[in-house]
Amino acid sequence: MRFRWITAILLALLPVSGCWDAVDIDRRAIILALGLEMAPNNKILVSAQIPQSSFFPFSPGQSSEMPYQTLTGIAKTGYGATLGLESKTWKRLFFMQLKTVLVNTALAEQGIKPYFEYLERNPQINPQSMVVLTETNCRDTLSVPLSSKDIPGMAIYNFLKSEAKANQVFPMQTWEFLKRIEIRPIDAYLPIISYNSDEQVYKFDGIGVFHRDRLTGKLSETESRMAGIVMKEAHNATFTVPVGKMGDISYQRLHWKREIAIIKTEPDFEFLINVSAKGYGSEITRDPTELSPRQIKEIERVTENYLKRNMAATVHRLQAMNSDIIGFGELIRANKPELWKRLNWDQEYPRADFRVKVKFTLERVGKYR
């Protein structure tokens, strides 16, 4: 009997239990994207994109034709700017669904760590969110009409995650970006995007590269592809090579193996980048006939020289910007830890020597019937 009474009491208490700090979904301002950029007087402007819902408008009785609302806050700190955001909505800001962090390049050039401090310390921030650069105003970039009718913050996230972009866009999650700007020796890099108003889509403009927490330069689309191959980040890389009288040959589904070896250390550092690649020829602009063995050999030779030349030029560009996104310093740290402890890699990296060796094989040269 006593057991039954205790069971009945416990069952009666169940309806009154629950999470005391729970917030109903209609009282949450779910932030899909954040924009960070400089404002006058050394202040930071934070833009927050919040999806609009016909069931849960931003304030009682208010509705909007737009599927989202973009709020802004300005202050000397990221936290202060966030308080400014909260003052513009009756809901509680909710960061756990954050997908995209958009950073203006002018802000990144000054050193990004102070402005990421609040994101790093905020336990709500989704560490799997993607960080991306833009050379234009963040608020405007997050407030554009898209042909897909998607919410811009979600469209940027899907753009970065798309398998179709894996040959040139190498996204970096917030946690990895923070790790790279704080823990040496591998530097960070971020894709740069812009908005194409004619077609109402986002497009890729290259890669921004960092030295520690400061943006030091930009790689072109070709340089980005070459860096992606050397970093082993590119997937199904595609590119076009001029081959003399045969015009241009385009490749798809490039497969490769890459090894980096330390050839020499002190007093002069030298590295060997060894790449073995295979590619499918998808188009030859001036030769409709079947390729002869001699032509195949010529195409392979020209392609090897193209890859070697562009990879070497990309590495030299990175050296000039003192950005070691490939990880040559990490190779020294892992293999020669005692040398690394006494080494000033910031001084040695820009004057190190690099040799690039490429072996390329053309595959599937015939035509589909």
Side-chain angles (χ1 to χ4, degrees):
M1 178 67 69
R2 186 177 181 181
F3 175 76
R4 291 179 180 177
W5 273 106
I6 293 175
T7 302
I9 292 171
L10 291 174
L11 290 173
L13 290 174
L14 283 176
V16 300
S17 65
C19 298
W20 62 270
D21 61 344
V23 179
D24 292 338
I25 191 170
D26 61 328
R27 295 183 178 275
R28 292 177 174 177
I30 299 174
I31 297 177
L32 287 182
L34 282 175
L36 306 176
E37 58 195 301
M38 293 301 300
N41 301 319
N42 292 321
K43 293 184 178 181
I44 181 172
L45 187 151
V46 176
S47 304
Q49 188 160 86
I50 304 168
Q52 191 77 288
S53 171
S54 59
F55 297 101
F56 305 123
F58 283 89
S59 61
Q62 179 184 354
S63 62
S64 172
E65 295 181 358
M66 293 290 289
Y68 62 88
Q69 184 175 15
T70 304
L71 304 178
T72 59
I74 300 178
K76 288 193 173 182
T77 66
Y79 179 68
T82 303
L83 293 178
L85 295 174
E86 289 181 332
S87 69
K88 296 179 180 179
T89 176
W90 62 277
K91 298 183 179 184
R92 180 183 294 184
L93 298 182
F94 186 75
F95 293 89
M96 291 185 180
Q97 293 298 321
L98 179 67
K99 298 296 184 184
T100 307
V101 180
L102 192 64
V103 181
N104 180 263
T105 52
L107 175 70
E109 287 169 355
Q110 296 193 17
I112 205 170
K113 190 178 187 305
Y115 307 104
F116 263 69
E117 183 78 9
Y118 173 58
L119 300 185
E120 187 176 11
R121 294 178 180 273
N122 187 341
Q124 281 195 27
I125 295 295
N126 175 15
Q128 278 78 44
S129 56
M130 298 291 185
V131 189
V132 64
L133 295 171
T134 180
E135 296 176 312
T136 55
N137 180 282
C138 290
R139 177 189 168 90
D140 292 345
T141 306
L142 287 172
S143 305
V144 295
L146 297 174
S147 58
S148 62
K149 308 303 180 185
D150 289 339
I151 296 176
M154 199 66 197
I156 294 173
Y157 178 80
N158 291 333
F159 179 95
L160 297 173
K161 294 283 287 182
S162 171
E163 286 295 327
K165 307 293 190 302
N167 67 320
Q168 58 179 338
V169 179
F170 320 120
M172 187 167 289
Q173 295 180 337
T174 300
W175 70 268
E176 185 179 3
F177 178 70
L178 288 169
K179 183 185 77 171
R180 288 204 179 194
I181 64 175
E182 290 184 354
I183 304 174
R184 298 282 288 162
I186 305 180
D187 283 313
Y189 57 88
L190 293 175
I192 304 175
I193 66 164
S194 63
Y195 175 68
N196 184 317
S197 58
D198 293 334
E199 300 180 10
Q200 295 188 338
V201 295
Y202 290 113
K203 69 183 188 72
F204 173 68
D205 284 336
I207 289 178
V209 299
F210 287 75
H211 176 63
R212 302 184 186 238
D213 75 322
R214 187 172 64 87
L215 180 69
T216 58
K218 172 183 175 180
L219 298 180
S220 67
E221 290 189 38
T222 297
E223 291 170 336
S224 299
R225 285 189 175 94
M226 296 299 111
I229 293 173
V230 180
M231 292 188 299
K232 300 174 71 172
E233 291 290 339
H235 301 285
N236 295 331
T238 61
F239 56 92
T240 300
V241 179
V243 197
K245 295 180 179 180
M246 286 181 279
D248 295 335
I249 179 169
S250 297
Y251 294 103
Q252 62 177 340
R253 297 181 63 184
L254 181 72
H255 300 282
W256 71 93
K257 294 180 180 179
R258 183 274 283 163
E259 295 180 352
I260 299 178
I262 304 172
I263 304 301
K264 291 168 53 181
T265 56
E266 297 178 298
D268 300 315
F269 287 83
E270 184 177 356
F271 298 83
L272 173 64
I273 303 170
N274 194 351
V275 176
S276 176
K278 297 179 181 181
Y280 298 163
S282 61
E283 179 185 34
I284 301 177
T285 57
R286 295 183 195 165
D287 193 351
T289 62
E290 299 292 340
L291 294 174
S292 67
R294 182 184 60 80
Q295 289 174 315
I296 292 173
K297 289 295 182 183
E298 176 64 12
I299 288 173
E300 291 176 339
R301 184 190 66 81
V302 171
T303 303
E304 286 176 356
N305 289 336
Y306 172 88
L307 291 172
K308 179 180 178 179
R309 182 174 64 253
N310 281 280
M311 287 180 189
T314 299
V315 172
H316 291 150
R317 280 267 292 146
L318 290 170
Q319 281 184 281
M321 295 182 283
N322 204 0
S323 179
D324 185 10
I325 64 174
I326 295 172
F328 298 106
E330 172 62 17
L331 190 65
I332 298 174
R333 188 201 64 80
N335 291 277
K336 299 180 181 294
E338 294 303 319
L339 171 61
W340 178 256
K341 288 178 183 179
R342 65 176 189 273
L343 187 65
N344 187 333
W345 187 235
D346 288 350
Q347 293 181 359
E348 297 295 340
Y349 171 60
R351 56 177 183 246
D353 290 325
F354 296 90
R355 290 195 287 124
V356 180
K357 182 179 178 182
V358 177
K359 173 63 178 176
F360 180 80
T361 303
L362 178 63
E363 293 191 328
R364 294 192 183 178
V365 295
K367 299 178 182 178
Y368 294 101
R369 299 297 184 183

